[in-house]
Amino acid sequence: MKKEIICLLLALLPGLLAGCGQEEAAEDRTIRIAVMRSATEGMEGFRNGLSMALEDCQAEYGPLGYDIQCDIFEDRASYEEGAAIIDRIVSDGGYAAVLGSESMPITKTAAYAFQQAGILTILPFPAYDSVTEEGGYPLVLSACFSARRCGDTLRRTAGRLEEETWAVLYHDDEFSRAEARSFALDRKDGIAVADCAKLPDGSTALDGLMERWTALGVEGVLLLPGGDRGFELVRDLKARDPALTVMGDYRLDNYERMCADPKIQAAFDGVWLPQLFDVEHGSDPGNFEQRYDEQFGGVTDTWAIQSYNCLRMAVDTAVACDSTEGAILAERLRAEGYEGVMQSFRFNENGGYECGRQLVAVIDGATGEAAEAYYIREGDGNG
């Protein structure tokens, strides 16, 4: 009798072991992505893109046994809250990738922490060049142009215009300083940067700056606001000198904020703004824009395209590599890049975003939308 029981157990053992293996494989097919967000006003498109990406990933990979999860952590641009979220993500130990915060100070700390924890970090928002351009973080990949590149693009844009004498007005943060240095670098291109100043504290200080610029013959100003205050500064600059040409950086590229005040919207007429990442509109094999309109209404926000592709980049790469190991995913993306919806992503050896062209648009104050747009190519003189 005992011999029969032993034989029966031996016969059942392979099946029992196979069952355990299937359960283990099913657990291995869970792909979890963390998203750090600062809930910035006017960023509904970013949230919508994440929602569409998660829905599409679940529809595509669910039938193959994958469980795709996306957890959103709101850091509210608070360094303390961001640090607590970073600790929570690291302690969890189950995330395949993280999409980085809008807050650059938080992102700088997160890059180090997630690098040490072996978690792939994709940055949909801009980060300090010390994170994305200087090396040291092999698992961190940026999906936006660097500060140096933005400053260079704006300088090349200035080279297309008639204005020859410029001033730079900047917020004292790492990103703005890097943009200002890149713009102000002497290139013997016929453009002179006559003045560089930090953002003025109040209308009296602004009046003093304008008087100085008049004496210097300043015709254009590059405004690097570092925050929401830039919209009022555009209004105040143009109110004092309607003929002044204004260029800004991505922090002024917020349609909802621009159009909330008719005076600000009107002041933005003729303002030049660069795009943070390349989007190939008109190349949409998956009918993303049509689906977006059907689901959310209105024109597709470029931030929706960016967030959709960044989340899909993490999930698609994990599936393609059959792994959630950060080093494996980062190596694959560095070597092959990623082809998304209306976007192609390539990364340099330090994880920086690589693209040979950057779009710069001039705003129509009547509509708040782009009146004209130009591609500025890196290394091509003035574009």
Side-chain angles (χ1 to χ4, degrees), residues 41-52:
E41 180 184 358
M43 292 296 290
E44 290 81 6
F46 189 88
R47 293 187 287 274
N48 295 341
L50 291 176
S51 175
M52 288 182 66

Side-chain angles (χ1 to χ4, degrees), residues 93-120:
Y95 289 102
V98 178
L99 304 193
S101 172
E102 293 156 73
S103 167
M104 293 190 214
I106 293 174
T107 293
K108 189 168 186 175
T109 298
Y112 176 81
F114 297 148
Q115 175 69 39
Q116 295 297 102
I119 304 172
L120 170 69

